[in-house]
Amino acid sequence: MAEGGYGALTIGAVAARAGVGKDTIYRRWSGKPELVYEAVFTTADTAVLPDTGTLEGDLTAVVGSLVEEFSAPAAAAALPGLLADFAAVPELRATIRTRFLSPAKERLTAVFDRAVQRGESAQDVPVDLVLDTLAGAVFFHLGIVGEEPDADLARRIAAMIVKGIEVR
């Protein structure tokens, strides 16, 4: 990805570099978009689930992982091609949603369950929409607008979300 970009990446090249046959790659991923998505955009999903003691602290850690993920050179190389593939193939969007985004939502649900127990959040917060908002803000800021992340970006995004969903 980093060497030639998304368009130049082939399953054959990945298989050759890994020292396996293409069939080995296709057993795990249906094609290039799924492989690239998992390789580039799931590190935040596998990071240790934050437990800072506050919802804002936990969301800052979650958003910090997203900022790190989206600001990596591989992400910049992958995004244009992935977005085109996602737009063209509805089945791919469904696969990404079920295989990768559902676990991310489950992780964020655990963060909100703790926040509910501490009285920081209502029980009916739409966690999937919060996740979309967090990831969307990071994606737009870094991937579309092309801004460099400052050290305070994750905290500012998390603070806006917490303020918007605070118990009233």
Side-chain angles (χ1 to χ4, degrees):
M1 278 292 305
E3 294 167 7
Y6 183 84
L9 183 76
T10 66
I11 295 295
V14 171
R17 184 166 284 183
V20 299
K22 288 195 299 188
D23 288 347
T24 301
I25 303 294
Y26 283 115
R27 272 188 223 112
R28 179 156 179 175
W29 298 281
S30 65
K32 179 171 76 170
E34 205 176 302
L35 169 84
V36 169
Y37 185 88
E38 184 171 1
V40 176
F41 294 107
T42 59
T43 57
D45 299 339
T46 57
V48 174
L49 190 62
D51 188 0
T52 65
T54 68
L55 178 59
E56 187 169 339
D58 291 351
L59 290 182
T60 298
V62 168
V63 175
S65 293
L66 290 171
V67 167
E68 188 176 309
E69 189 170 85
F70 275 90
S71 58
L79 275 173
L82 273 177
L83 290 175
D85 283 348
F86 290 164
V89 184
E91 299 83 17
L92 179 60
R93 285 194 308 267
T95 298
I96 297 301
R97 200 172 21 254
T98 56
R99 186 166 169 198
F100 302 113
L101 297 180
S102 284
K105 179 185 169 191
E106 289 173 21
R107 289 171 47 80
L108 197 58
T109 298
V111 167
F112 275 93
D113 287 347
R114 288 194 309 258
V116 168
Q117 291 170 357
R118 291 188 301 258
E120 294 178 290
S121 176
Q123 199 148 7
D124 62 348
V125 169
V127 175
D128 51 345
L129 187 56
V130 172
L131 179 59
D132 291 350
T133 303
L134 294 172
V138 173
F139 167 72
F140 189 83
H141 191 77
L142 303 177
I144 302 296
V145 177
E147 292 290 326
E148 289 294 318
D150 61 49
D152 204 33
L153 178 63
R155 189 204 57 77
R156 289 183 296 131
I157 292 172
M160 285 190 301
I161 295 298
V162 170
K163 183 69 176 162
I165 62 171
E166 70 186 1
V167 177
R168 295 185 171 104

